[in-house]
Amino acid sequence: MSSSPSPTETIVLGGGCFWCTEAVFDRVQGVLDVESGYSNGQTLNPSYEQICTGRTGHAEVVKLEFDPAQISLRELLEIFFVVHDPTTLNRQGNDVGTQYRSGIYTTSDAQKQVADSVIREIEASKTYSSPVVTEVAPLANYSTAEAYHQDYFLNHPNQGYCAFVVGPKVEKFQKTFASRVKA
């Protein structure tokens, strides 16, 4: 009798610059794959240069493949809401534009229900002094970012943006969610 591998799920998250979001989720136990990309815009297969104009409608995102037997979507979203600011519209720190919006792009109705529930709980808890502006929408028009964006922090840890912006987000994750860090 062979045991089949547990089914995986996919969720796509926009938390500002995908280098930051990818670097965090690469380290989360139960996340099997992280891919930087673009989603929920109008242009088919946009380039990074097109995304940077803010005219494609896309968000910089990470596509997460995860094992729900190891980590729940709720836990992934709890991490997501700690490692980025979900209260700034079309902005994360000095990164400004619609491509840097906070978003949860779902692949099922069940995921949408979990996302909406987590946001309601955050709002009720008054965790933030401003309202959560995270967009929750079905995943649409996803495309993979260029190869040089994949594993960017891993490959360029001493690059300025990585050292001063990405690194502190990774450290915050590792301190706040120590029990969820991959061995």
Side-chain angles (χ1 to χ4, degrees):
M1 177 193 236
S2 70
S3 64
S4 61
S6 60
T8 62
E9 274 191 58
T10 300
I11 188 84
V12 174
L13 304 174
C17 175
F18 47 33
W19 296 346
C20 295
T21 317
E22 180 191 59
V24 168
F25 285 101
D26 268 342
R27 290 160 172 75
V28 176
Q29 181 182 6
V31 173
L32 308 174
D33 189 48
V34 183
E35 178 181 86
S36 290
Y38 313 113
S39 76
N40 291 62
Q42 298 82 38
T43 306
L44 290 178
N45 298 313
S47 68
Y48 181 66
E49 289 72 23
Q50 288 174 305
I51 295 293
C52 287
T53 68
R55 294 191 300 261
T56 68
H58 285 77
E60 285 193 18
V61 296
V62 291
K63 181 170 76 169
L64 306 180
E65 181 185 347
F66 67 99
D67 179 352
Q70 293 183 50
I71 189 164
S72 69
L73 176 58
R74 173 173 291 278
E75 290 171 299
L76 289 173
L77 294 179
E78 288 169 0
I79 293 167
F80 174 68
F81 281 113
V82 165
V83 298
H84 88 292
D85 182 351
T87 68
T88 53
L89 187 62
N90 300 328
R91 173 185 205 132
Q92 286 297 305
N94 291 328
D95 293 331
V96 178
T98 56
Q99 68 270 31
Y100 299 117
R101 67 186 178 268
S102 175
I104 300 169
Y105 303 105
T106 60
T107 57
S108 70
D109 287 339
Q111 287 183 348
K112 180 185 181 340
Q113 290 172 2
V114 171
D116 289 341
S117 174
V118 170
I119 290 170
R120 279 193 305 274
E121 290 167 20
I122 290 169
E123 290 285 342
S125 73
K126 303 286 186 209
T127 300
Y128 298 100
S129 56
S130 299
V132 171
V133 295
T134 303
E135 172 179 62
V136 178
L139 179 62
N141 201 9
Y142 174 84
S143 60
T144 305
E146 295 82 352
Y148 69 91
H149 288 299
Q150 308 303 324
D151 299 311
Y152 195 85
F153 180 68
L154 181 69
N155 293 321
H156 307 280
N158 299 318
Q159 186 262 0
Y161 187 89
C162 289
F164 295 105
V165 178
V166 183
K169 287 185 182 224
V170 169
E171 288 175 26
K172 182 177 186 179
F173 157 70
Q174 290 174 324
K175 287 180 185 167
T176 309
F177 297 97
S179 66
R180 301 312 276 144
V181 176
K182 284 181 181 171

